[in-house]
Each structure stands twice: as structure tokens, then as C-alpha cells.
Amino acid sequence: MRCPSVVIVAGGRSRRLGQEKPFARVGGRSTLSRLLDAASQIEDVVLSVRDAEPFVAFLGGGGEWTPASREAPDRAAGSFAFAATGGRRLLIVPDPVPGLGPLAGFVSGAAAARGRVAVVLAGDLPFVTAAFVDRIGEGLAADREHEAHVPLVDGRAQPLCAAYRSETVATAARLLARSGGTGGGKPPSMMSLLGSLRVRYLEPSDFGGVGSLKTITRGIDQPADLEWANRRAARSADRRCDAQSPGSQAS
């Protein structure tokens, strides 16, 4: 069973990094392209962003972007849909009120997703793997008791590298509505959403064979993180070259 939807929350202003996190290059490739590769087996991908136009321009050609209202009249104004090959869909949805934080991005993105379960990923995670996406999405799809599966790293929940049922959108929207939902005060956090859900928290031992959970959940929030990510990508590239060299295997 494949997880039917992935939502990438990429609406932050990237003030500490000094550049748009999804567009930052790690190992010669943008973080966004790495995330899309990790979701390449998923039929429905939604990007929840501050402004759709820069993402349409960044992702460029290879197909036709159309206003998403042509696909469905209830899509948010300013949304764009991309019809990819093989029946896959990529939808870019802007935040209706910019500046309300990740929870608002979660609401707009997950509300546009088609699946009953969505893997929700921050837009600054360069080392998410397809195996991780499958594992956490399929795990929640098979779990009738919980509304979300959320990894723990060093005892800390990772709500933007987690899986959620579609019903959680209504809970998140109510939290935003109670706060006023206009950007005037401090918006509620993703952690406040977890406090309102039935959550199964997952340990690194639940992710055997999918890669280091600490690496998968580490974002590039500031320049030191980006330097770390590029060092790690370079080491991974060196290991691949060594493994592929003629003398790497015994004859």
C-alpha cells in the first residue's frame, strides 16, 4: 500500500538562512528537488507555499502549469497545478494569509491533498528518503487507532516530518480560528496540533532500513546547517564513487 499524498510545507521566510530554503543547493541539487525525488513514487504531491509564482518559475518546464481553478473551482486563488507523466499530480497552493506559520501551511496543503493519509514534510529537509515516506505513510494507513504518526529524535517530536490523517485538517483549522487567524498575534504551533490529536510517537528503531532518522529530520535552518548538509552530501557521493569503482569488488 502506497501513501497516496505528500504535503511539503515551504512557506517560511528563511530569515536565518538568508535564502529560500527549498531552493538552497545541497550536493549540487536544490532541497526541493531532493524532496520531490523522495516523493517520486507518490501519486499526489502538494506544495504549500507563501507565494506560488516563484515555485512555478523555479520548477520550470517539462510540462504545463495551469491555474488550479480549472481542475477544481474550490482551489485557493493563486494555486497552480502541474499534470506530470504517469498520472501523478503536483499542486502548488499559496497560504491564504501569509505569516501564520507552519500550522497554516499544514492546513492549506493538507486540505488540498487527495489522500486519506498524507506525509507532511518541511521544505528544508534535504535527506528525506523514499523508504521513509513509504514507511511512515503506510504505518499510519494501517493504524486505525491514531490520527498521526510522529517521529521522536532525541526525545523531541518532529511534526513536520510525520504522517497525518485527512481529518486532522479540521482540528488544525479550529486551532487557527481560535487564534484569530489573521496574523495579528502569535499563531498556534504544530506542537499545539499534536496536543489535540491521538498521536503515535515513533522511535528510531521503528525506521530500520530507511536511513538515519536524525539525518532525515534535520533541516537547513541556518548557514551552519547548510554547510553540514553539503559535507554530508559530499561524503555520500564519495562512498558511491568508491562502491562503483572497478577495484571496489573482489574478482
Side-chain angles (χ1 to χ4, degrees):
M1 181 195 308
R2 294 288 189 186
C3 168
S5 295
V6 163
V7 174
I8 299 172
V9 178
R13 295 189 178 277
S14 307
R15 292 186 179 94
R16 284 187 285 186
L17 186 62
Q19 60 178 302
E20 292 283 357
K21 295 177 187 178
F23 304 157
R25 300 186 77 79
V26 173
R29 299 170 56 221
S30 71
T31 300
L32 178 58
S33 70
R34 287 171 165 268
L35 282 165
L36 292 175
D37 281 353
S40 63
Q41 76 280 23
I42 303 301
E43 64 185 25
D44 180 53
V45 178
V46 179
L47 304 184
S48 176
V49 302
R50 188 171 65 255
D51 177 12
E53 296 282 0
F55 284 81
V56 172
F58 184 83
L59 290 169
E64 183 181 0
W65 289 94
T66 59
S69 58
R70 296 181 190 173
E71 177 190 90
D74 60 346
R75 293 296 181 211
S79 298
F80 285 85
F82 180 78
T85 58
R88 295 182 68 239
R89 181 191 75 146
L90 179 60
L91 180 68
I92 302 178
V93 180
D95 290 341
V97 181
L100 288 183
L103 185 64
F106 169 86
V107 170
S108 58
R114 289 174 170 169
R116 294 297 303 273
V117 168
V119 175
V120 176
L121 304 168
D124 67 341
L125 302 175
F127 298 118
V128 174
T129 65
F132 171 84
V133 170
D134 282 347
R135 178 75 59 84
I136 197 167
E138 291 169 2
L140 181 57
D143 179 352
R144 300 299 181 90
E145 179 181 353
H146 297 94
E147 297 171 291
H149 278 193
V150 179
L152 293 174
V153 175
D154 295 333
R156 298 183 63 179
Q158 306 295 317
L160 286 175
C161 195
Y164 298 85
R165 291 196 179 281
S166 57
E167 306 91 272
T168 62
V169 175
T171 303
R174 285 194 295 270
L175 287 172
L176 281 175
R178 288 185 203 136
S179 72
T182 61
K186 185 176 180 180
S189 67
M190 289 296 298
M191 295 302 292
S192 66
L193 173 62
L194 298 188
S196 303
L197 302 177
R198 301 188 305 278
V199 179
R200 181 186 174 198
Y201 291 99
L202 306 174
E203 299 287 349
S205 58
D206 293 306
F207 293 97
V210 306
S212 164
L213 191 59
K214 183 176 285 191
T215 298
I216 287 169
T217 58
R218 181 170 175 178
I220 50 171
D221 192 49
Q222 50 193 324
D225 298 320
L226 185 56
E227 292 170 8
W228 160 80
N230 275 296
R231 288 195 303 270
R232 188 192 181 283
R235 289 196 300 271
S236 296
D238 288 344
R239 286 195 293 270
R240 285 194 298 271
C241 287
D242 289 344
Q244 294 168 4
S245 65
S248 64
Q249 297 181 0
S251 59

